[in-house]
Amino acid sequence: MTFIILFLLIAAATILTLIHWRRAGRLLYALALLLFIATGVGILPKYLLDSLQAPYAAGAAVADMHWAEQNAIVLLGAGTEPVAGTVETGTFAYGRVAKTAALYGACRKTAGQCKVIVSGGDPQQRGVAEAIVYATYLEQLGVDKADLTLETSSKNTWQNAQFSAPLLKPYAGQVVLVTSGIHMRRSLLYFSHFGVDAKPARADYLAAKGNWFPLAYNFWVTDLALSEYIGVWRYHAYNLLGWNAPAVKPVLH
């Protein structure tokens, strides 16, 4: 996405220069160079990532979680990878799976009810739903199979929220949402739309890498951050246009 923006700026600058609007062309060339440097050395991605993740920076300590009599821990999918004829958990998903297992273990030490809902279909067409793949790892990490509920139809975050909400109706005590720090704002927004007032428990946390020379990594995390902002903006735009499903009043606490 970042390189597409740079390409469009350079293309527009070239066209303006060719039609003798040289001052405007030079301005766009300078803007493209500034964007390239600010992104590559880590200035822009640091700002974007901090804005997305800062509210959840302290949400990693399992010991700080307070449990209710009824608890549902919702794990959101983050892809899978085909490996040697099998399908394994995707790179981003490992942290989420580990965090979910740790939360479940802490919850089980209390007198409360602890359930895990794994939400994720097969958007990458691997032949098996993310929820099924993750459930295998969760069981290996100590989650009781009887406490697992799998939502295997969702293809994106919006559907994660839409399809998980009905499964959460029995859990009036507390819903804990587990996903990546960068993904949390959008996820909470979508779940809230479907009436789920969830407590955030972020897993991984992305950071930009400051450097004197541009790094490909910084362009990658910038693209990830921009996709999250676009998801939030699209949600609000669709609400204004009436394209989203009707919002549901929160009934879970």
Side-chain angles (χ1 to χ4, degrees), residues 32-65:
L33 179 61
L34 180 62
L35 178 61
F36 178 82
I37 294 173
T39 302
V41 302
I43 297 172
L44 179 60
K46 182 181 186 307
Y47 170 77
L48 295 175
L49 291 170
D50 286 351
S51 297
L52 281 173
Q53 300 179 114
Y56 319 109
V62 174
D64 294 337
M65 184 66 66

Side-chain angles (χ1 to χ4, degrees), residues 216-231:
Y217 169 85
N218 286 329
F219 287 94
W220 174 62
V221 295
T222 299
D223 283 355
L224 292 178
L226 288 175
S227 68
E228 292 302 318
Y229 282 107
I230 290 172

Side-chain angles (χ1 to χ4, degrees), residues 2 5 9 61 97 107 110 113 125 179:
T2 309
I5 296 172
L9 284 173
V97 170
C107 181
T110 70
Q113 181 186 44
Q125 298 183 346
T179 188

Side-chain angles (χ1 to χ4, degrees), residues 229-248:
Y229 282 107
I230 290 172
V232 172
W233 297 334
R234 182 175 58 234
Y235 167 81
H236 291 297
Y238 282 12
N239 266 352
L240 289 174
L241 294 170
W243 292 355
N244 283 333
V248 179

